[in-house]
Amino acid sequence: MTMIKRASVVIIGGGIIGCSIAYNLAKMGCKNIILLEKNSLASGATGRCGAGIRQQFGTEMNCILARESIKIFENLSQELDYDIELNQGGYLMLAYTEKEVNQFKKNVALEQSLGIDVRYITVKKAKEIVPPLNTEGVLAATFCPTDGHANPFNTNFAYAEAAQRLGVKIYNFTEVREIKTENNRIVSVSTDKGEVLTPIVINAAGGYSGEIGKMAGVEIPVYSQRHQILITEPVDPLFKPMLMSFSRNFYCQQTPHGSIIMGFGDPDEPKGHDIGTSWQFARDMAQKMTAVVPLLKEVSMVRQWSGLYNMSPDSQPIVGEHPQVNGFYMAVGFSGHGFMLAPVASRLMAELILKGKTSIPIDRLDIGRFERGELIIEPSVV
Amino acid sequence: MKDETIICRCEDVTWGEIRQALEKGYTTLDEIKRVTRAGMGRCQGTTCRRIILREIAKFCHKSIEEVTIPTFRPPTKPVKLGTLAGDDDD
């Protein structure tokens, strides 16, 4: 496909964020949108993620965004005419320390005040929800039955194909080389396939969003960090919810397909773009999860891989226009929550661009909050 | 080849599903894997990878050597988590 000469919006990044923004802009009537992807769709963080969807967060902002995102997810297969394999088996968050117990009580109070169906439960109740759970060391748990999981590939392709049906042009294997500005205004994007004139660029480049920022002449305070993950062979249903612990540092979920996916965040992981894998991770992961669900000892790992979290200083996304570059919009720094927040973040981004205001206030997710010192620290991140 | 022919035996992916993915414009092995799950099962594509590569080449009028091969992901063979957990040398 030869590059068109002029577009009303250029989106950089063919992951869930870029594709869902393309879809929402087109759905709201915007014409002549193009999306640039340097590899193929879902080849970055989206296709590599655990694809969990939860509403159990420690900040009001994340709770509200996640709550609204779940509502969209619930009708998304129908809306996009593509089965995204949404599976609402809940998230069971396990508390192993007193500090965690206190944080969970605070989180539940906050979540309930925002209308999220979540409960603080005893160890006995947790064991009823997940019978193969080894409760040793577990002090309490929280459970939200409407949390869950979807197929990240299907969701990404569903948005992309729906966007294309609405006229969005997607250029795969097309790498952005330069973003030109004039008088602090976006004028064009140059790629290895040609140049396109545009007044609006949306940075949805995930792990490479900092690099895209530099091309537009701005510093975005994000960094990328490898997160490893593994998956087992498919087995009979063992448990429904996502199991998660912050202090023991793991998440683990059985997909509807039967395979079990699990990961943890290495606190010593250096910043950067490495997406290799290590045996140490597979061993540590196996040790962690076989201790929590001993039955897993008999289940085989078939594949391991990694992807990039794009971290912001407060683990909350940066969503909005850059104050110094007119027409340069960012949907970056999702800090491991891009997949679950994409449905709502993309809708709000489309509203912001086309109407200048959003149906849910997200002014506080602007890039200016770091300079103002108004960080929204999220305590509940793996 | 018939549409009902199973190409990926681990994930029960038929030629019809792969053909449809090709026709939609998903013409690399990585994309076909992500769209159909072909090659993501227990054998990790050992059986189906070559067939799909051949069909991509045919569909795109390329030689097999020109088709990009996906990233190799460990392990080579499935390993029980219990075995992995008991392994204590670095």
Side-chain angles (χ1 to χ4, degrees), chain A residues 161 233 257 283 301 303, chain B residues 11 26 42 44 79 85 87:
Chain A
E161 290 181 13
E233 61 193 328
H257 162 270
R283 182 198 57 201
M301 152 175 133
R303 182 167 69 249
Chain B
E11 295 289 332
Y26 300 112
R42 204 181 147 86
Q44 290 293 293
V79 191
D87 179 8

Side-chain angles (χ1 to χ4, degrees), chain A residues 51-54 70 73-74 77 83-91 144-151 155 239-242 253-259 339:
Chain A
I53 306 165
R54 65 170 153 123
I70 288 269
F73 268 117
E74 285 172 344
S77 293
D83 183 7
I84 65 157
E85 296 174 9
L86 177 67
N87 163 43
Q88 287 173 291
Y91 257 58
C144 173
T146 53
D147 287 349
H149 175 275
N151 180 320
T155 313
F239 53 94
K240 280 188 179 166
M242 174 80 91
Q253 162 130 61
Q254 185 168 24
T255 69
H257 162 270
S259 49
F339 179 74

Side-chain angles (χ1 to χ4, degrees), chain A residues 259-315:
Chain A
S259 49
I260 301 165
I261 192 162
M262 55 188 84
F264 70 88
D266 179 354
D268 298 323
E269 182 67 41
K271 297 174 182 178
H273 295 97
D274 174 21
I275 47 168
T277 54
S278 73
W279 270 101
Q280 290 85 343
F281 166 80
R283 182 198 57 201
D284 294 352
M285 189 77 250
Q287 285 171 349
K288 275 175 194 282
M289 285 327 295
T290 54
V292 180
V293 182
L295 258 178
L296 291 175
K297 283 179 189 163
E298 295 306 313
V299 181
S300 292
M301 152 175 133
V302 296
R303 182 167 69 249
Q304 67 174 122
W305 68 95
S306 74
L308 298 175
Y309 274 27
N310 186 235
M311 298 297 300
S312 79
D314 58 3
S315 304

